[in-house]
mmCIF file of all heavy atoms in Angstrom:
data_model
loop_
_atom_site.group_PDB
_atom_site.id
_atom_site.type_symbol
_atom_site.label_atom_id
_atom_site.label_comp_id
_atom_site.label_asym_id
_atom_site.label_seq_id
_atom_site.Cartn_x
_atom_site.Cartn_y
_atom_site.Cartn_z
ATOM 1 N N ASN Q 192 6.034 2.598 -19.817
ATOM 2 C CA ASN Q 192 6.260 3.974 -19.363
ATOM 3 C C ASN Q 192 5.303 4.434 -18.259
ATOM 4 O O ASN Q 192 4.757 5.546 -18.321
ATOM 5 C CB ASN Q 192 6.171 4.937 -20.557
ATOM 6 C CG ASN Q 192 6.826 6.279 -20.268
ATOM 7 O OD1 ASN Q 192 7.781 6.354 -19.501
ATOM 8 N ND2 ASN Q 192 6.310 7.333 -20.871
ATOM 9 N N PRO Q 193 5.089 3.621 -17.220
ATOM 10 C CA PRO Q 193 4.274 4.111 -16.100
ATOM 11 C C PRO Q 193 5.058 5.134 -15.283
ATOM 12 O O PRO Q 193 6.285 5.206 -15.372
ATOM 13 C CB PRO Q 193 4.026 2.835 -15.283
ATOM 14 C CG PRO Q 193 5.269 2.023 -15.510
ATOM 15 C CD PRO Q 193 5.641 2.286 -16.964
ATOM 16 N N GLU Q 194 4.347 5.913 -14.500
ATOM 17 C CA GLU Q 194 5.019 6.877 -13.622
ATOM 18 C C GLU Q 194 5.648 6.189 -12.407
ATOM 19 O O GLU Q 194 6.590 6.711 -11.814
ATOM 20 C CB GLU Q 194 4.020 7.937 -13.143
ATOM 21 C CG GLU Q 194 3.650 8.974 -14.176
ATOM 22 C CD GLU Q 194 2.855 8.423 -15.340
ATOM 23 O OE1 GLU Q 194 2.023 7.491 -15.117
ATOM 24 O OE2 GLU Q 194 3.047 8.895 -16.477
ATOM 25 N N HIS Q 195 5.129 5.030 -12.058
ATOM 26 C CA HIS Q 195 5.513 4.367 -10.802
ATOM 27 C C HIS Q 195 5.512 2.859 -11.017
ATOM 28 O O HIS Q 195 4.665 2.324 -11.743
ATOM 29 C CB HIS Q 195 4.491 4.758 -9.725
ATOM 30 C CG HIS Q 195 4.830 4.355 -8.326
ATOM 31 N ND1 HIS Q 195 4.672 3.067 -7.855
ATOM 32 C CD2 HIS Q 195 5.296 5.087 -7.275
ATOM 33 C CE1 HIS Q 195 5.024 3.025 -6.575
ATOM 34 N NE2 HIS Q 195 5.413 4.237 -6.205
ATOM 35 N N LEU Q 196 6.474 2.175 -10.396
ATOM 36 C CA LEU Q 196 6.528 0.715 -10.460
ATOM 37 C C LEU Q 196 6.664 0.155 -9.051
ATOM 38 O O LEU Q 196 7.623 0.476 -8.336
ATOM 39 C CB LEU Q 196 7.712 0.258 -11.316
ATOM 40 C CG LEU Q 196 7.450 0.083 -12.810
ATOM 41 C CD1 LEU Q 196 8.759 -0.010 -13.586
ATOM 42 C CD2 LEU Q 196 6.614 -1.167 -13.052
ATOM 43 N N SER Q 197 5.697 -0.650 -8.641
ATOM 44 C CA SER Q 197 5.816 -1.413 -7.395
ATOM 45 C C SER Q 197 6.367 -2.785 -7.772
ATOM 46 O O SER Q 197 5.671 -3.583 -8.416
ATOM 47 C CB SER Q 197 4.446 -1.553 -6.714
ATOM 48 O OG SER Q 197 3.969 -0.289 -6.317
ATOM 49 N N TRP Q 198 7.614 -3.026 -7.422
ATOM 50 C CA TRP Q 198 8.329 -4.246 -7.836
ATOM 51 C C TRP Q 198 8.770 -4.960 -6.576
ATOM 52 O O TRP Q 198 9.661 -4.498 -5.876
ATOM 53 C CB TRP Q 198 9.520 -3.860 -8.708
ATOM 54 C CG TRP Q 198 10.196 -5.019 -9.381
ATOM 55 C CD1 TRP Q 198 9.653 -5.889 -10.276
ATOM 56 C CD2 TRP Q 198 11.567 -5.413 -9.228
ATOM 57 N NE1 TRP Q 198 10.589 -6.810 -10.691
ATOM 58 C CE2 TRP Q 198 11.776 -6.532 -10.063
ATOM 59 C CE3 TRP Q 198 12.635 -4.924 -8.470
ATOM 60 C CZ2 TRP Q 198 13.015 -7.176 -10.164
ATOM 61 C CZ3 TRP Q 198 13.865 -5.561 -8.572
ATOM 62 C CH2 TRP Q 198 14.048 -6.664 -9.399
ATOM 63 N N TYR Q 199 8.102 -6.051 -6.268
ATOM 64 C CA TYR Q 199 8.348 -6.679 -4.972
ATOM 65 C C TYR Q 199 8.457 -8.188 -5.108
ATOM 66 O O TYR Q 199 7.920 -8.809 -6.018
ATOM 67 C CB TYR Q 199 7.248 -6.306 -3.975
ATOM 68 C CG TYR Q 199 5.841 -6.544 -4.465
ATOM 69 C CD1 TYR Q 199 5.163 -7.718 -4.157
ATOM 70 C CD2 TYR Q 199 5.181 -5.586 -5.234
ATOM 71 C CE1 TYR Q 199 3.865 -7.938 -4.602
ATOM 72 C CE2 TYR Q 199 3.896 -5.793 -5.692
ATOM 73 C CZ TYR Q 199 3.245 -6.975 -5.367
ATOM 74 O OH TYR Q 199 1.962 -7.188 -5.834
ATOM 75 N N GLN Q 200 9.175 -8.760 -4.152
ATOM 76 C CA GLN Q 200 9.442 -10.197 -4.172
ATOM 77 C C GLN Q 200 8.278 -10.973 -3.569
ATOM 78 O O GLN Q 200 7.704 -10.563 -2.548
ATOM 79 C CB GLN Q 200 10.723 -10.500 -3.380
ATOM 80 C CG GLN Q 200 11.134 -11.965 -3.383
ATOM 81 C CD GLN Q 200 12.437 -12.192 -2.637
ATOM 82 O OE1 GLN Q 200 13.355 -11.375 -2.734
ATOM 83 N NE2 GLN Q 200 12.526 -13.278 -1.891
ATOM 84 N N LEU Q 201 7.927 -12.070 -4.211
ATOM 85 C CA LEU Q 201 6.899 -12.956 -3.674
ATOM 86 C C LEU Q 201 7.352 -13.516 -2.330
ATOM 87 O O LEU Q 201 8.461 -14.022 -2.194
ATOM 88 C CB LEU Q 201 6.651 -14.108 -4.649
ATOM 89 C CG LEU Q 201 5.774 -15.261 -4.139
ATOM 90 C CD1 LEU Q 201 4.347 -14.790 -3.892
ATOM 91 C CD2 LEU Q 201 5.796 -16.433 -5.109
ATOM 92 N N THR Q 202 6.496 -13.388 -1.348
ATOM 93 C CA THR Q 202 6.728 -14.037 -0.050
ATOM 94 C C THR Q 202 5.552 -14.964 0.235
ATOM 95 O O THR Q 202 4.410 -14.660 -0.127
ATOM 96 C CB THR Q 202 6.864 -13.010 1.082
ATOM 97 O OG1 THR Q 202 5.697 -12.176 1.115
ATOM 98 C CG2 THR Q 202 8.097 -12.134 0.892
ATOM 99 N N ILE Q 203 5.851 -16.087 0.854
ATOM 100 C CA ILE Q 203 4.805 -17.058 1.177
ATOM 101 C C ILE Q 203 4.236 -16.720 2.543
ATOM 102 O O ILE Q 203 4.942 -16.756 3.556
ATOM 103 C CB ILE Q 203 5.375 -18.499 1.181
ATOM 104 C CG1 ILE Q 203 6.085 -18.790 -0.147
ATOM 105 C CG2 ILE Q 203 4.267 -19.498 1.428
ATOM 106 C CD1 ILE Q 203 5.210 -18.685 -1.363
ATOM 107 N N GLU Q 204 2.961 -16.353 2.555
ATOM 108 C CA GLU Q 204 2.301 -15.909 3.783
ATOM 109 C C GLU Q 204 1.377 -16.999 4.325
ATOM 110 O O GLU Q 204 0.818 -17.784 3.555
ATOM 111 C CB GLU Q 204 1.478 -14.644 3.510
ATOM 112 C CG GLU Q 204 2.276 -13.484 2.946
ATOM 113 C CD GLU Q 204 3.216 -12.846 3.952
ATOM 114 O OE1 GLU Q 204 3.152 -13.228 5.146
ATOM 115 O OE2 GLU Q 204 4.012 -11.983 3.550
ATOM 116 N N PRO Q 205 1.213 -17.059 5.652
ATOM 117 C CA PRO Q 205 0.256 -18.005 6.232
ATOM 118 C C PRO Q 205 -1.157 -17.753 5.689
ATOM 119 O O PRO Q 205 -1.476 -16.662 5.202
ATOM 120 C CB PRO Q 205 0.335 -17.707 7.732
ATOM 121 C CG PRO Q 205 1.677 -17.077 7.931
ATOM 122 C CD PRO Q 205 1.933 -16.292 6.678
ATOM 123 N N ASN Q 206 -1.980 -18.768 5.775
ATOM 124 C CA ASN Q 206 -3.382 -18.694 5.341
ATOM 125 C C ASN Q 206 -3.523 -18.433 3.842
ATOM 126 O O ASN Q 206 -4.478 -17.789 3.400
ATOM 127 C CB ASN Q 206 -4.144 -17.615 6.132
ATOM 128 C CG ASN Q 206 -4.111 -17.872 7.623
ATOM 129 O OD1 ASN Q 206 -4.310 -18.999 8.075
ATOM 130 N ND2 ASN Q 206 -3.834 -16.837 8.395
ATOM 131 N N THR Q 207 -2.557 -18.910 3.065
ATOM 132 C CA THR Q 207 -2.655 -18.842 1.612
ATOM 133 C C THR Q 207 -2.492 -20.246 1.043
ATOM 134 O O THR Q 207 -1.964 -21.149 1.701
ATOM 135 C CB THR Q 207 -1.574 -17.929 1.004
ATOM 136 O OG1 THR Q 207 -0.276 -18.505 1.249
ATOM 137 C CG2 THR Q 207 -1.626 -16.532 1.602
ATOM 138 N N GLU Q 208 -2.910 -20.417 -0.205
ATOM 139 C CA GLU Q 208 -2.757 -21.707 -0.864
ATOM 140 C C GLU Q 208 -1.289 -22.062 -1.047
ATOM 141 O O GLU Q 208 -0.893 -23.223 -0.907
ATOM 142 C CB GLU Q 208 -3.468 -21.675 -2.226
ATOM 143 C CG GLU Q 208 -3.462 -23.005 -2.969
ATOM 144 C CD GLU Q 208 -4.198 -24.119 -2.229
ATOM 145 O OE1 GLU Q 208 -5.113 -23.813 -1.437
ATOM 146 O OE2 GLU Q 208 -3.835 -25.294 -2.443
ATOM 147 N N PHE Q 209 -0.448 -21.069 -1.329
ATOM 148 C CA PHE Q 209 0.982 -21.325 -1.467
ATOM 149 C C PHE Q 209 1.600 -21.782 -0.150
ATOM 150 O O PHE Q 209 2.588 -22.517 -0.145
ATOM 151 C CB PHE Q 209 1.700 -20.068 -1.963
ATOM 152 C CG PHE Q 209 1.687 -19.906 -3.464
ATOM 153 C CD1 PHE Q 209 2.257 -18.782 -4.055
ATOM 154 C CD2 PHE Q 209 1.121 -20.862 -4.295
ATOM 155 C CE1 PHE Q 209 2.261 -18.626 -5.441
ATOM 156 C CE2 PHE Q 209 1.111 -20.717 -5.682
ATOM 157 C CZ PHE Q 209 1.685 -19.592 -6.240
ATOM 158 N N TYR Q 210 1.047 -21.338 0.966
ATOM 159 C CA TYR Q 210 1.565 -21.761 2.275
ATOM 160 C C TYR Q 210 1.212 -23.236 2.525
ATOM 161 O O TYR Q 210 2.013 -23.994 3.066
ATOM 162 C CB TYR Q 210 0.975 -20.879 3.374
ATOM 163 C CG TYR Q 210 1.540 -21.142 4.752
ATOM 164 C CD1 TYR Q 210 2.763 -20.595 5.135
ATOM 165 C CD2 TYR Q 210 0.839 -21.922 5.682
ATOM 166 C CE1 TYR Q 210 3.286 -20.820 6.399
ATOM 167 C CE2 TYR Q 210 1.347 -22.150 6.947
ATOM 168 C CZ TYR Q 210 2.580 -21.606 7.303
ATOM 169 O OH TYR Q 210 3.089 -21.835 8.555
ATOM 170 N N ARG Q 211 -0.002 -23.600 2.111
ATOM 171 C CA ARG Q 211 -0.430 -24.991 2.297
ATOM 172 C C ARG Q 211 0.262 -25.929 1.310
ATOM 173 O O ARG Q 211 0.553 -27.077 1.645
ATOM 174 C CB ARG Q 211 -1.954 -25.082 2.138
ATOM 175 C CG ARG Q 211 -2.725 -24.395 3.264
ATOM 176 C CD ARG Q 211 -4.227 -24.600 3.135
ATOM 177 N NE ARG Q 211 -4.795 -23.792 2.060
ATOM 178 C CZ ARG Q 211 -5.226 -22.545 2.217
ATOM 179 N NH1 ARG Q 211 -5.135 -21.946 3.398
ATOM 180 N NH2 ARG Q 211 -5.749 -21.883 1.194
ATOM 181 N N ARG Q 212 0.522 -25.416 0.109
ATOM 182 C CA ARG Q 212 1.199 -26.224 -0.918
ATOM 183 C C ARG Q 212 2.319 -25.375 -1.516
ATOM 184 O O ARG Q 212 2.162 -24.785 -2.587
ATOM 185 C CB ARG Q 212 0.204 -26.631 -2.005
ATOM 186 C CG ARG Q 212 -0.938 -27.482 -1.484
ATOM 187 C CD ARG Q 212 -1.906 -27.821 -2.609
ATOM 188 N NE ARG Q 212 -3.059 -28.581 -2.138
ATOM 189 C CZ ARG Q 212 -4.069 -28.980 -2.908
ATOM 190 N NH1 ARG Q 212 -4.064 -28.674 -4.198
ATOM 191 N NH2 ARG Q 212 -5.075 -29.670 -2.402
ATOM 192 N N PRO Q 213 3.459 -25.326 -0.849
ATOM 193 C CA PRO Q 213 4.528 -24.409 -1.272
ATOM 194 C C PRO Q 213 5.066 -24.730 -2.661
ATOM 195 O O PRO Q 213 5.373 -25.883 -2.971
ATOM 196 C CB PRO Q 213 5.610 -24.636 -0.204
ATOM 197 C CG PRO Q 213 4.909 -25.257 0.953
ATOM 198 C CD PRO Q 213 3.797 -26.067 0.367
ATOM 199 N N PRO Q 214 5.179 -23.721 -3.507
ATOM 200 C CA PRO Q 214 5.799 -23.913 -4.821
ATOM 201 C C PRO Q 214 7.317 -23.903 -4.690
ATOM 202 O O PRO Q 214 7.868 -23.551 -3.637
ATOM 203 C CB PRO Q 214 5.311 -22.695 -5.605
ATOM 204 C CG PRO Q 214 5.169 -21.635 -4.561
ATOM 205 C CD PRO Q 214 4.712 -22.343 -3.305
ATOM 206 N N THR Q 215 7.996 -24.259 -5.753
ATOM 207 C CA THR Q 215 9.456 -24.221 -5.770
ATOM 208 C C THR Q 215 9.911 -22.817 -6.161
ATOM 209 O O THR Q 215 9.695 -22.370 -7.289
ATOM 210 C CB THR Q 215 10.014 -25.238 -6.774
ATOM 211 O OG1 THR Q 215 9.545 -26.543 -6.422
ATOM 212 C CG2 THR Q 215 11.535 -25.236 -6.761
ATOM 213 N N LEU Q 216 10.517 -22.137 -5.214
ATOM 214 C CA LEU Q 216 10.961 -20.766 -5.451
ATOM 215 C C LEU Q 216 12.431 -20.752 -5.865
ATOM 216 O O LEU Q 216 13.170 -21.709 -5.595
ATOM 217 C CB LEU Q 216 10.760 -19.924 -4.195
ATOM 218 C CG LEU Q 216 9.316 -19.782 -3.700
ATOM 219 C CD1 LEU Q 216 9.265 -18.895 -2.466
ATOM 220 C CD2 LEU Q 216 8.411 -19.220 -4.792
ATOM 221 N N PRO Q 217 12.877 -19.687 -6.517
ATOM 222 C CA PRO Q 217 14.288 -19.588 -6.913
ATOM 223 C C PRO Q 217 15.222 -19.657 -5.700
ATOM 224 O O PRO Q 217 14.845 -19.285 -4.582
ATOM 225 C CB PRO Q 217 14.369 -18.221 -7.591
ATOM 226 C CG PRO Q 217 12.973 -17.921 -8.022
ATOM 227 C CD PRO Q 217 12.090 -18.537 -6.981
ATOM 228 N N GLU Q 218 16.446 -20.132 -5.940
ATOM 229 C CA GLU Q 218 17.445 -20.178 -4.879
ATOM 230 C C GLU Q 218 17.875 -18.769 -4.491
ATOM 231 O O GLU Q 218 17.688 -17.806 -5.240
ATOM 232 C CB GLU Q 218 18.645 -20.993 -5.342
ATOM 233 C CG GLU Q 218 18.324 -22.462 -5.614
ATOM 234 C CD GLU Q 218 19.540 -23.241 -6.069
ATOM 235 O OE1 GLU Q 218 20.584 -22.603 -6.337
ATOM 236 O OE2 GLU Q 218 19.445 -24.488 -6.151
#
Side-chain angles (χ1 to χ4, degrees):
N192 199 31
E194 285 67 35
H195 189 282
L196 270 165
S197 295
W198 190 61
Y199 52 95
Q200 183 177 321
L201 170 66
T202 56
I203 306 300
E204 302 289 353
N206 302 316
T207 65
E208 184 63 27
F209 275 177
Y210 185 81
R211 292 185 286 272
R212 299 179 183 178
T215 302
L216 299 181
E218 296 180 351

